[in-house]
Amino acid sequence: MANNLTENNIFFLTSAFARKLGNQADEIFKTMGLSSSHALLLHLIHENPEVQPSRLAKLLHLKPSTITRLVQKLERRGFVEKQSAGRATKIVCTSEGKDTVENVQKKWESLIQRKREELGERYVDVLSEMISNALDTMEAKS
């Protein structure tokens, strides 16, 4: 019975998988003084100039308060800054952030390529699509 709780338990399996992938990504970005979450957020801010925090929360499936905390660290490092226009707040990359993003993108590409080599390209594509679809379905129902 306990075996089934780990072998067929989507909650346990996805959590274990996410921890393993997250730890591998964090190890790569540690050399830059960033977590994988901060690195991905910096990339998204660069790709979506003047993005609002609520949009980032939606893209990353995170709570707005989590985005605020992550953005604050990127601000302290000088990678991003907030700009206010009336009631709206927008996040933009600074010149230092733009310089750093190129290295971040290379590290993400390298990490994904290594995972494709380890697990197989088709497997990574299908798994990524399935997870993305499941997230979308769950978000639509909540």
Side-chain angles (χ1 to χ4, degrees):
M1 175 107 169
N3 212 15
N4 279 345
L5 276 181
T6 56
E7 288 180 13
N8 298 315
N9 185 331
I10 191 170
F11 301 99
F12 167 76
L13 292 171
T14 55
S15 182
F17 190 64
R19 274 192 310 275
K20 191 160 213 49
L21 290 177
N23 288 340
Q24 290 173 356
D26 284 341
E27 191 65 30
I28 295 294
F29 291 105
K30 184 168 60 172
T31 60
M32 300 178 71
L34 295 171
S35 69
S36 57
S37 297
H38 289 101
L40 185 57
L41 184 61
L42 181 60
H43 168 76
L44 287 174
I45 292 167
H46 181 262
E47 294 295 311
N48 299 276
E50 298 185 358
V51 66
Q52 292 184 328
S54 59
R55 175 76 177 132
L56 292 169
K58 191 173 211 102
L59 287 169
L60 293 173
H61 304 278
L62 294 172
K63 293 179 182 179
S65 60
T66 302
I67 293 297
T68 298
R69 184 176 44 80
L70 292 169
V71 166
Q72 286 173 342
K73 180 172 183 180
L74 292 176
E75 277 184 296
R76 285 192 301 273
R77 295 283 307 272
F79 294 143
V80 302
E81 63 185 17
K82 292 181 194 171
Q83 296 178 345
S84 296
R87 294 178 65 197
T89 299
K90 297 178 181 184
I91 313 295
V92 297
C93 275
T94 62
S95 58
E96 187 174 346
K98 290 176 185 176
D99 292 342
T100 303
V101 159
E102 186 176 330
N103 195 15
V104 164
Q105 289 169 332
K106 285 178 184 174
K107 286 184 181 290
W108 273 119
E109 289 166 8
S110 171
L111 191 59
I112 292 167
Q113 184 57 37
R114 283 197 337 218
K115 206 44 63 184
R116 287 176 178 281
E117 291 167 5
E118 180 183 339
L119 299 175
E121 194 164 320
R122 175 84 176 126
Y123 189 82
V124 170
D125 289 344
V126 170
L127 185 58
S128 297
E129 182 180 349
M130 290 175 70
I131 292 169
S132 179
N133 289 342
L135 279 170
D136 290 344
T137 299
M138 291 172 69
E139 297 255 332
K141 293 185 178 191
S142 61

